[in-house]
Amino acid sequence: MVKLSAVQLCSVPDVNANLDAIEQQLQLLEIAEQHLVVVPECCLFFGARDVDQLTLAKDTADNGALRLGLAKLAEKYRVHLVGGTIPSLTQQGDKFTNSSCVFSPQGEQLGRYDKIHLFDVHVQDNEKHYFESKYTQAGKSVEVVKTPFASVGLSVCYDLRFPELYRQLRCRGADIITVPSAFTRVTGKAHWQTLLRARAIENQVFIVAANQEGVHKNGRETWGHSMIISPWGEVLSSLETGTGVATAEYSSEELVKVRQSIPVSEHNQFKTELMSYE
């Protein structure tokens, strides 16, 4: 049996407190032979100024404390853990990448995806203006991680609005696509579930979307509604508000059935070449 879980958090600007919050949810997981667990974007530090993320990236660049903390949790609870995102200092040292790291049940890092699409937008909420690119450097590579039960494509939050990335992940063999997020309350209410279901349906993949939820220390409001969606577009499990976990079973048989019944990849007349952003 393979389980998929999306952990919903209301993260704070305190790494240790957030690690504790994640562990509290991992302790409640259902038993499974294999388990893929996704935690939200900015899972270890959220609710402060964006420049504080850069400071954290600098402070942990040498000791890898953020990755180590997540790796230990993956090993302790014997799960494949998609560690939301953490800030990783760039070589130049003036910015960080918003990095989603995947850890095995042995605590090994299996892969890393640096968020490609940066959230520079105007939203009618408490924040009004978001300028992610001020301190964040965009990633350049599409990433799919192989696990014993499925190939997992990686994406983050604002990526959800760019179907080209998801088609690239599908072309690279993704069976499951993860979407750790900190979707705003305004945009989440309008678009979150619609976009998630669309990405699942058009690419015939399972979607595991873990979102932040609540009002954070800096006043940002996040939407929650973490959910798991089937390749047919069904919402298999969801959690609207509060902290907790949405869990569903992964079925390779269902994946094959959907893809054979409507062979979208074979019928697509706009053949997508595998692209590199590097």
Side-chain angles (χ1 to χ4, degrees):
M1 181 190 300
V2 178
K3 293 281 190 180
L4 306 174
S5 288
V7 176
Q8 188 159 286
L9 301 172
C10 184
S11 296
V12 297
D14 182 323
V15 173
N16 290 328
N18 291 323
L19 283 170
D20 289 343
I22 294 170
E23 182 162 18
Q24 288 175 16
Q25 299 306 319
L26 293 179
Q27 290 172 346
L28 303 176
L29 292 179
E30 300 175 28
I31 301 299
E33 294 176 13
Q34 300 275 2
H35 209 141
L36 178 71
V37 180
V38 183
V39 297
E41 182 180 23
C42 301
C43 59
L44 295 187
F45 193 86
F46 191 63
R49 299 170 302 166
D50 290 346
V51 69
D52 294 327
Q53 291 267 9
L54 178 59
T55 300
L56 179 62
K58 291 178 178 178
D59 290 344
T60 58
D62 293 333
N63 59 24
L66 303 181
R67 286 184 182 81
L68 183 59
L70 292 170
K72 286 182 176 179
L73 289 177
E75 183 177 16
K76 182 175 180 178
Y77 293 95
R78 307 297 294 173
V79 297
H80 283 84
L81 180 64
V82 180
T85 66
I86 56 175
S88 301
L89 193 67
T90 61
Q91 288 186 344
Q92 294 80 8
D94 59 338
K95 288 189 176 185
F96 62 89
T97 55
N98 199 9
S99 303
S100 182
C101 299
V102 184
F103 302 96
S104 75
Q106 292 73 41
E108 300 171 342
Q109 184 172 313
L110 301 178
R112 164 182 161 176
Y113 165 69
D114 297 337
K115 184 179 181 183
I116 289 174
H117 300 100
L118 302 183
F119 197 56
D120 292 354
V121 303
H122 303 282
V123 177
Q124 296 304 310
D125 63 5
N126 292 340
E127 189 74 12
K128 302 300 182 186
H129 305 289
Y130 295 83
F131 191 23
E132 189 175 16
S133 65
K134 184 174 182 179
Y135 298 106
T136 308
Q137 179 173 294
K140 296 182 179 180
S141 297
V142 177
E143 300 294 336
V144 175
V145 174
K146 293 188 181 299
T147 73
F149 53 87
S151 293
V152 181
L154 307 180
S155 70
V156 175
C157 200
Y158 189 48
D159 284 333
L160 190 57
R161 296 182 182 274
F162 301 89
E164 298 86 352
L165 171 61
Y166 290 76
R167 183 53 52 87
Q168 287 291 309
L169 291 169
R170 175 68 183 90
C171 288
R172 284 168 162 79
D175 305 309
I176 301 165
I177 298 179
T178 59
V179 195
S181 300
F183 239 74
T184 72
R185 188 176 298 274
V186 171
T187 59
K189 183 178 181 180
H191 303 143
W192 172 250
Q193 183 171 314
T194 300
L195 289 170
L196 289 170
R197 293 188 66 209
R199 299 296 85 85
I201 293 166
E202 65 199 10
N203 294 294
Q204 299 176 316
V205 295
F206 284 86
I207 293 284
V208 186
N211 204 10
Q212 297 277 356
E213 194 279 329
V215 180
H216 301 268
K217 186 175 180 180
N218 59 359
R220 290 188 181 183
E221 299 178 81
T222 48
W223 174 239
H225 294 74
S226 298
M227 61 184 63
I228 298 164
I229 303 174
S230 78
W232 193 246
E234 299 171 293
V235 178
L236 301 177
S237 181
S238 65
L239 178 66
E240 292 188 4
T241 60
T243 58
V245 183
T247 295
E249 289 189 19
Y250 169 76
S251 171
S252 58
E253 291 80 8
E254 180 180 1
L255 195 73
V256 171
K257 181 181 178 181
V258 169
R259 291 177 178 180
Q260 287 181 344
S261 64
I262 306 178
V264 172
S265 293
E266 288 79 4
H267 291 166
N268 184 9
Q269 299 303 300
F270 295 89
K271 297 302 181 183
T272 305
E273 295 182 0
L274 296 182
M275 296 184 294
S276 172
Y277 292 82
E278 295 179 329

